[in-house]
Amino acid sequence: MTASATGSCEVPEPRSQVWRALAVLQPYCAVCDVSYVVSGSGRGTTFVAVPGRLEGDPAAGAPRGEITEWAPNRAVTTRLDLTPETWTTRIELADVEGGGTRVTMTITHEPRGGSRIARRIQGRAARQLVQRTVDSELAKVPAHLARPAG
């Protein structure tokens, strides 16, 4: 059973700055403590996400993802494939009065495999997990904006 949650926050920074902080994958994100190995740019870009600082090549089986939507300064959607599940994150940016930006994040979790009954039983827990993930990621937005541009 697919679980999805959406949340928003407003920040005083302009949309272009928020875009660079949230949508452009850097080799290492200290806020999330994740390293990225990126191939390509824009829509269709593929990446490998590795917890911590990457030393050498990513291990076989490391989570792989793709940028499935790329509308600069407006929206980016990524899909991250893990063995038992797929996580999709969509970030939308909109101007707010006074020059700031509204960040709207939608995260979707889709289990793969397993029985339909097991997925249904786990559905409520999955919805709560996805909502907590959205809340946690939105809480990190100011820290992403405070990082030096990379």
Side-chain angles (χ1 to χ4, degrees), residues 26-113:
Q26 300 296 321
Y28 175 71
C29 176
V31 174
C32 300
D33 191 27
V34 173
S35 293
Y36 295 99
V37 178
V38 180
S39 298
S41 63
R43 185 172 181 246
T45 294
T46 58
F47 61 90
V48 178
V50 180
R53 284 196 180 272
L54 182 61
E55 301 291 332
D57 292 330
R64 299 194 175 276
E66 179 181 3
I67 295 175
T68 59
E69 179 186 8
W70 184 261
N73 295 315
R74 291 191 318 260
V76 62
T77 303
T78 61
R79 183 187 69 240
L80 185 64
D81 294 316
L82 305 171
T83 302
E85 59 203 5
T86 298
W87 289 84
T88 303
T89 302
R90 177 176 170 79
I91 300 171
E92 297 174 80
L93 305 179
D95 294 331
V96 295
E97 199 167 319
T101 304
R102 179 181 309 106
V103 178
T104 301
M105 190 174 298
T106 301
I107 296 179
T108 302
H109 171 262
E110 184 175 357
R112 296 190 316 226

Side-chain angles (χ1 to χ4, degrees), residues 9 16 18-19 24 39 46 59 72 76 82 94-95 113 119 122-123 126-127 143 147:
C9 68
S16 62
V18 177
W19 175 261
V24 178
S39 298
T46 58
V76 62
L82 305 171
D95 294 331
R119 287 194 307 262
Q122 296 168 348
R127 284 189 300 277
R147 290 182 319 171

